[in-house]
Amino acid sequence: MNNFDYANPTRILFGKGRIADLAKVVPADARVLLLFGGGSIRNNGVLDEVHAALAGFTFHEFSGIEPNPSYENLMQAVELVRKEKIDFLLAVGGGSVIDGTKFIAAAANFDGEPWAILEKGGRNVTSALPFGAVLTLPATGSEMNNGGVVTRKSIKAKMSFMSKHCFPLFSILDPAKTFTLPTRQIGNGVVDAFAHVMEQYMTYPANAPVQDRFAEGILQTLIEEGPKALANPDDYDVRANIMWCATLALNGLIGAGVPQDWATHMVGHELTALYDLDHAQTLAIVMPSMLRVRKEGKRAKLLQYAARVWHLTDGDEDTRIEAAIAKTQEFFEQMGVKTRLSDYELNADAVEAVLAQLSAHKMTTLGERRDVTLEMSRQVLELSL
Ligand code: NZQ
Ligand code: ZN
């Protein structure tokens, strides 16, 4: 196993009714900015609960953070932060609101044009405002990690950043708040969490048996619980298990000390930036083909995955590997997330456009071995048509 530091300062408050505990974790004398999305929290009562919990606090609001949050919009919140001398941010929503809040937290303290944060992947962030989160959509893991993804619409660039200054101080996870999710977002969340585990697990053996077992446990739990959330959307226990899976999938635990891939995510981000596909839709399109094209480099782990996660032990190696990839693709489809470019009315033109953007963003040596060249990305995308 490689050397690694594992530090995660985010405090998790998990369970029914935990929003009421906001008053205990938001600093009492803070000037708070409440940040949220397009209105789901107004309709499902979450905003009322947050207001009740923050009675007596000084707070302002910024709404309208869109899915795949835009730099252009977030910079307006940065202005508000400066104008109102805000010193604490509270994100209430899904990954987009939490990511947007991380960016605002870093941009508010940043010297110079904050787009540079995305250009440098966050390496130039030296401080950020403190912030917490109330999660309403289990998917990204943003509630317990230090990464964010922001889109600059004017140039169709979707870029990510990470900084040790961008961990939430706390995150409130009340699974009951996920009951109002549309079916599409339930599926998206499960597929995104699944893909996060795969990006950290499906590489090559690295003498990391406990990370492997954790990863396989999360994958198996998502396979068991995901379809139940679609069939019985009012089942609290199912929602709770999915929520905890999504958090553990990307809080650094399973990725500590192991090689990581992320090529599927990088290609997927270009599809979202160009065609506005949901994040998880892009992963469902790219991942099965990515595994097929890179079968040789991932052979040992694909065989382990086939045996331990899908219980596929019969037949020769290539048969087991293909069966495991087919099962993965079927699972995404079962969760209601389509897996081909043509399902989203995209054709060979999209392949060329994505490759041009990958090249422009220097995404030309991706993956755990840095061997995913543009030519390999082309094979992947063509296989996904
Ligand atoms: O905007 P509102 O009205 O709140 O509606 C949202 C939005 O339309 C709705 N929603 C959220 N909670 C709800 C709800 N509707 C009903 N009931 C609820 N309880 O869901 C829609 C999608 O929300 P969004 O936050 O965009 O989804 P998600 O959590 O999947 O976040 C996606 C973003 O996260 C980034 C993605 O690239 C994308 O920009 N990611 C962030 C990562 C990270 N920080 O580590 C890693 C991921 O790989 C990913 O890249
Ligand atoms: Zn993701």
Side-chain angles (χ1 to χ4, degrees):
M1 207 191 306
N2 298 323
N3 292 343
F4 63 88
D5 290 358
Y6 177 65
N8 192 318
T10 304
R11 174 176 174 192
I12 296 294
L13 292 82
F14 190 99
K16 248 181 224 166
R18 297 308 298 273
I19 290 177
D21 289 340
L22 271 174
K24 295 182 198 155
V25 286
V26 175
D29 54 353
R31 292 178 61 78
V32 181
L33 182 63
L34 201 64
L35 297 123
F36 53 99
S40 70
I41 68 161
R42 281 189 206 282
N43 302 330
N44 63 11
V46 169
L47 185 59
D48 289 340
E49 271 186 56
V50 171
H51 282 165
L54 290 182
F57 282 78
T58 304
F59 66 88
H60 290 75
E61 292 185 351
F62 184 88
S63 64
I65 297 183
E66 63 278 62
N68 310 303
S70 75
Y71 175 75
E72 290 86 347
N73 189 18
L74 299 174
M75 284 307 290
Q76 297 190 22
V78 174
E79 261 179 53
L80 183 63
V81 165
R82 291 187 174 142
K83 182 164 150 259
E84 298 296 344
K85 303 196 174 5
I86 298 293
D87 56 17
F88 192 89
L89 307 179
L90 181 62
V92 186
S96 294
V97 174
I98 303 175
D99 282 10
T101 299
K102 288 177 181 175
F103 177 74
I104 295 160
N109 284 8
F110 192 74
D111 219 6
E113 158 67 55
W115 182 246
I117 296 172
L118 281 314
E119 286 174 332
K120 295 272 185 236
R123 289 185 299 280
N124 48 358
V125 172
T126 53
S127 76
L129 292 178
F131 66 96
V134 175
L135 180 69
T136 63
L137 196 178
T140 64
S142 188
E143 65 278 9
M144 201 179 175
N145 70 36
N146 63 345
V149 191
V150 172
T151 300
R152 192 161 190 169
K153 288 205 164 133
S154 56
I155 52 170
K156 292 193 185 297
K158 183 171 180 176
M159 316 269 279
S160 53
F161 70 102
M162 287 171 91
S163 165
K164 65 177 179 191
H165 304 287
C166 292
F167 281 99
L169 220 57
F170 62 81
S171 283
I172 294 184
L173 278 56
D174 177 348
K177 302 308 171 214
T178 70
F179 285 144
T180 55
L181 283 171
T183 310
R184 168 168 151 195
Q185 299 300 347
I186 299 174
N188 279 349
V190 169
V191 168
D192 192 22
F194 194 95
H196 293 161
V197 178
M198 292 291 276
E199 298 273 34
Q200 299 164 90
Y201 163 80
M202 184 48 68
T203 57
Y204 51 81
N207 180 31
V210 73
Q211 290 92 324
D212 279 3
R213 298 275 187 195
F214 273 133
E216 289 153 0
I218 297 170
L219 294 174
Q220 285 177 302
T221 308
L222 289 168
I223 291 165
E224 281 170 21
E225 302 290 297
K228 289 188 207 163
L230 295 180
N232 310 307
D234 298 329
D235 188 327
Y236 175 87
D237 294 335
V238 168
R239 299 299 189 125
N241 286 324
I242 289 175
M243 202 167 208
W244 194 226
C245 279
T247 302
L248 291 177
L250 196 51
N251 72 346
L253 178 73
I254 63 169
V258 300
Q260 302 194 11
D261 183 342
W262 299 106
T264 292
H265 268 72
M266 294 307 112
V267 177
H269 285 175
E270 303 298 355
L271 277 167
T272 296
L274 286 170
Y275 304 109
D276 219 16
L277 264 52
D278 293 349
H279 173 61
Q281 293 173 337
T282 71
L283 306 175
I285 293 168
V286 176
M287 184 161 273
S289 303
M290 191 65 88
L291 297 177
R292 288 188 171 105
V293 168
R294 294 166 65 197
K295 184 171 84 172
E296 290 315 322
K298 294 180 181 291
R299 177 170 286 272
K301 287 303 273 291
L302 279 166
L303 287 166
Q304 180 178 320
Y305 170 68
R308 292 194 190 170
V309 175
W310 295 107
H311 311 295
L312 296 163
T313 49
D314 292 340
D316 65 21
E317 285 188 6
D318 287 317
T319 307
R320 280 179 272 150
I321 288 173
E322 175 47 36
I325 299 171
K327 287 268 186 199
T328 309
Q329 188 162 359
E330 278 162 30
F331 175 60
F332 296 163
E333 295 270 353
Q334 186 186 4
M335 290 309 302
V337 188
K338 297 274 176 211
T339 57
R340 305 216 147 265
L341 285 165
S342 50
D343 293 324
Y344 303 90
E345 286 160 25
L346 294 175
N347 55 30
D349 294 344
V351 175
E352 298 309 323
V354 169
L355 291 170
Q357 289 295 76
L358 284 169
S359 171
H361 299 145
K362 302 190 174 58
M363 300 288 172
T364 53
T365 53
L366 299 172
E368 67 273 16
R369 296 179 205 269
R370 318 306 296 168
D371 61 351
V372 182
T373 57
L374 280 186
E375 185 43 43
M376 204 180 265
S377 291
R378 174 186 294 284
Q379 287 175 38
V380 169
L381 288 161
E382 285 177 349
L383 200 58
S384 298
L385 278 168

